[in-house]
């Protein structure tokens, strides 16, 4: 029998998937699904009948079929049945029948035989005409129908009077025709109130539907994960699969069954909507206009929206499935903390809390703030993105490329949660019955765990205390604060010196604010590059001295560790540095291209800032970026922060994440911050592997030198599309990862 411990992390998941699906598709599941489908179909079908009935009431279509006309007007030119003023929209079946019968006698006869007939009398008195409409007793005709009929008779009579005056027929049309007016503002997007309300309410309704579904199936997922951990069936499955594959296959199968049930319900709603629409037109009202279908068609036709297009529908289906899968994985991960059924209620409270935070954040944060960067964060954070993305994609707010990027981010989060769930589930299975600390080895003391932890000792040779680790954490982040202090002081002092020199002997008390603003804008192109160079020079001196004192005093080694670097194959180190430098250069530009589609306004602001700072154009800015930044920033991030971070956390990867985050923050803008974080992770790996800052400095130099000199000239004004931007992120990223992996074996 195969040992599952010798298999890959998720081995056997497909077996568990098929087994769980076979278990889930039972008779009870089929009955519940059929009942839900029937209820939703009936509800959607009935909606059409009710809406059609309401439209009949609002349409003002009269039930009058025959009008017995007593005409004493004396106008022979009136053509009652062929007049152009005959309103066939309100009176589609009306026919005028002249009669000379007595009104009372005629009314008694109509009351018994013809409930859709009325009597109209037109008479002339002096210089006026009088129109009277009589409704028979117990008639189906309403008072409103009678009033509308009287108005139409007035228009027909007026037409006959004009004809008697022998005016040309074409001119008569102009005289009796009504005038309709409408207005619009030039350049304004045409908006329909119903459509706007639909666009506002639809995402909320969509979120509520997904929220209810996640609540129901999330609780079910928690029960499955918790109860089956201690079952004999689970013990049997562990013989052929690993815990990671077991929980992944089980959650994926349960989510798939739920998605199938949800899809059946959606199909029932859609089919009921269209079938009910057709039936209502045939039986209730031929002119019935389904309000939902009308709004969908109007939004789909609008080319600026791209709403409900085939592309949007496909991406929305993927978004819903992915969002639901994420919350299922989250439910499985949280439920894994419960060792027995009694603990499930307690741990699932946290799941409900996450669910509420995600739902409320997805709707209220973008609505209340209206800021673009808030919307970006909501779409990136998985708790809120799961609710936000489907509605925005379907309504065309997020278009193709940007939607795909956000879905890839959500997919990444889902995979990470799946791995996290598998890790907890594994520890719960093999440490059942013990305390939480015993069941989850990775929260034990660092010295008792695997080799990934690096144990630091104090001067007496004992492991560091918690208070010491906290102190080292603040030492790790303190360089960032000092960096900003240097930036602010240099900018303030330099600006003060320049303005004092320029305004020497000049009275500026009479200057207006606008004049001062123009002055500062004028000196920015010269002042900013100079300030940048002075800042980087001070950063090199400050953090170089700090690092020298710390590492000389505690490590008894050189500041750059040149001797340790010489122990490795220099050709391999140089080759890896070159590949990483060029690969990260392309990756950074790919990230900017992707960001320009996701947050275009932010990228535009960054471009304006870079132009003002003289980045890549002013000699002083180029010297600061190429010659000074690779030294000072490496001292700060990979020298001091990484060093103290490892002492604080005891593990390299935690410290590496911290220093990479600081590296992104010190660039002080979103655009550079994102790719700087990725670059910082790679540079931290190089420093840790070779125990020297020189490889990181070389890679940093290659990136800054290339971006400041030849790279922009090679590309010119080439416009990078979103697919190409994604390609520029993934391919160079894979090459850099392969180089780092290969260098691990070849460096020594």
């Amino acid at each position: 029998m195969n040992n599952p411990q010798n298999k890959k992390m998720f081995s056997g998941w497909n077996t568990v998937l098929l087994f769980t699906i076979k278990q889930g598709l039972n008779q009870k599941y089929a009955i519940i699904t059929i009942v839900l489908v029937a209820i939703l179909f009936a509800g959607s079908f009935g909606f059409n009948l009710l809406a059609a009935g309401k439209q009949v009431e609002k349409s003002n279509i009269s039930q009058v079929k025959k009008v017995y006309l007593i005409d004493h007007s004396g106008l022979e030119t009136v053509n009652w049945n062929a007049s152009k003023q005959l309103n066939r929209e309100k009176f589609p079946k009306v026919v005028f029948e002249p009669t000379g019968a007595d009104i009372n006698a005629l009314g008694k006869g109509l009351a018994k035989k013809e409930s859709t007939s009325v009597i109209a009398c037109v008479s002339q008195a002096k210089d006026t005409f009088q129109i009277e409409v009589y409704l028979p007793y117990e008639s189906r005709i309403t008072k409103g129908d009678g009033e509308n009929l009287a108005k139409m008779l007035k228009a027909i009579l007026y037409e006959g009077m004009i004809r008697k005056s022998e005016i040309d027929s074409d001119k008569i049309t102009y005289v009796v025709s009504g005038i309709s007016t409408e207005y619009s503002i030039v350049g304004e997007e045409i908006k329909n109130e119903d459509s706007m309300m639909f666009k506002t309410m639809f995402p909320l309704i969509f979120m509520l539907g997904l929220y209810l579904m996640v609540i129901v199936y999330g609780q079910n997922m928690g029960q499955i994960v918790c109860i089956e951990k201690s079952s004999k069936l689970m013990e049997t499955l562990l013989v052929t699969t690993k815990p990671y594959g077991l929980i992944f296959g089980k959650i994926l199968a349960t989510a798939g069954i739920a998605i199938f049930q949800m899809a059946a319900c959606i199909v029932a709603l859609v089919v009921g909507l269209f079938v009910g629409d057709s039936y209502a037109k045939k039986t209730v009202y031929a002119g019935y206009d389904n309000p939902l279908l009308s709004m969908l068609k109007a939004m789909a036709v609008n080319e600026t929206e791209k709403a409900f297009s085939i592309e949007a529908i496909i991406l929305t289906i993927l978004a819903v499935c992915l969002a639901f899968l994420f919350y299922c994985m989250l439910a499985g991960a949280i439920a894994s903390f419960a060792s027995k059924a009694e603990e499930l209620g307690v741990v699932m409270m946290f799941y409900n809390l996450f669910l509420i935070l995600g739902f409320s954040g997805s709707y209220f944060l973008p609505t209340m703030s209206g800021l673009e960067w808030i919307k970006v964060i909501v779409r990136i954070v998985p708790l809120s993105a799961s609710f936000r993305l489907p509605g925005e994609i379907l309504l065309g707010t997020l278009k193709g490329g940007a939607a795909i990027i956000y879905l890839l981010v959500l997919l990444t989060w889902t995979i990470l949660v799946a791995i996290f769930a598998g890790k907890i589930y594994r520890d719960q299975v093999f440490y059942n019955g013990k305390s939480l600390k015993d069941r989850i080895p990775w929260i034990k003391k660092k010295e008792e765990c695997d080799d990934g932890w690096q144990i630091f000792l104090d001067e007496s040779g004992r492991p560091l205390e918690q208070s010491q680790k906290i102190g080292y954490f603040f030492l790790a982040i303190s360089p960032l604060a000092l960096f900003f202090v240097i930036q602010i002081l240099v900018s303030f002092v330099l600006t003060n010196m320049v303005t004092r020199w320029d305004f020497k002997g000049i009275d500026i008390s009479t200057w207006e604010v606008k004049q001062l603003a123009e002055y500062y804008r004028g000196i920015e192109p010269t002042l900013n590059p100079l300030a940048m160079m002075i800042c980087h020079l001070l950063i090199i001196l400050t953090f170089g001295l700090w690092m020298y004192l710390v590492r000389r005093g505690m490590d008894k080694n050189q500041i750059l560790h040149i001797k340790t670097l010489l122990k490795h194959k220099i050709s391999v180190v140089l080759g890896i540095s070159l590949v990483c430098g060029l690969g990260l250069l392309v990756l950074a530009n790919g990230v900017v291209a992707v960001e320009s589609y996701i947050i275009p306004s932010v990228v535009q602001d960054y471009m304006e800032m870079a132009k003002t700072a003289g980045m890549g154009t002013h000699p002083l800015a180029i010297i600061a970026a190429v010659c000074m930044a690779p030294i000072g920033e490496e001292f700060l991030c990979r020298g001091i922060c990484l060093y103290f971070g490892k002492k604080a956390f005891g593990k390299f990867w935690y410290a590496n994440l911290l220093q990479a985050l600081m590296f992104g923050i010190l660039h002080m803008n979103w655009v550079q911050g994102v790719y700087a974080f990725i670059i910082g992770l790679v540079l931290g790996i190089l420093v840790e592997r070779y125990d020297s800052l020189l490889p990181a400095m070389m890679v940093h130099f290659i990136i800054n030198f290339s971006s400041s000199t030849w790279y922009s000239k090679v590309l010119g004004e080439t416009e990078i599309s979103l697919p190409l931007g994604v390609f520029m992120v993934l391919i160079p990223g894979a090459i850099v990862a392969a180089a780092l992996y290969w260098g691990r074996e070849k460096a020594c």
Side-chain angles (χ1 to χ4, degrees), residues 93-153:
K93 300 178 181 181
V94 70
V95 175
F96 292 94
E97 183 176 321
T99 181
D102 180 70
I103 294 177
N104 290 327
L106 183 60
K108 291 179 181 180
L110 295 179
K112 297 179 181 180
K113 299 178 181 179
E114 301 179 33
S115 61
T116 59
S117 298
V118 298
I119 303 170
C121 180
V122 181
S123 59
Q124 184 178 10
K126 295 182 180 181
D127 296 332
T128 62
F129 289 92
Q130 184 174 348
I131 299 174
E132 297 172 303
V133 176
Y134 299 93
L135 305 181
Y137 181 71
E138 294 183 351
S139 173
R140 290 169 53 187
I141 309 304
T142 64
K143 181 181 178 181
D145 285 342
E147 292 175 348
N148 290 330
L149 179 62
K151 292 178 182 178
M152 186 176 69
L153 290 173

Side-chain angles (χ1 to χ4, degrees), residues 477-538:
I477 63 175
S478 58
L480 185 63
L482 184 56
F483 172 85
F484 287 129
V485 169
I486 293 174
Q487 292 268 7
I488 294 171
L489 287 177
V490 169
S491 299
F492 177 77
V493 172
L494 192 60
T495 303
N496 191 42
M497 290 175 59
V498 171
T499 52
R500 283 180 178 273
W501 178 267
D502 289 343
F503 294 149
K504 188 176 181 181
I506 299 176
D507 182 14
I508 63 171
S509 59
T510 59
W511 283 31
E512 297 180 357
V513 176
K514 183 178 180 181
Q515 291 176 290
L516 289 172
E518 291 178 354
Y519 166 76
Y520 283 113
R521 280 197 297 268
I523 65 173
E524 274 184 345
T526 303
L527 191 64
N528 288 345
L530 179 61
M532 186 185 302
M533 190 178 71
I534 295 175
C535 281
H536 280 292
L537 180 61
L538 291 177

Side-chain angles (χ1 to χ4, degrees), residues 75-94:
L75 295 175
E76 298 178 355
T77 55
V78 178
N79 190 346
W80 298 101
N81 285 308
S83 172
K84 293 182 179 179
Q85 302 306 309
L86 193 60
N87 190 342
R88 289 296 181 184
E89 292 183 0
K90 291 185 177 181
F91 298 90
K93 300 178 181 181
V94 70

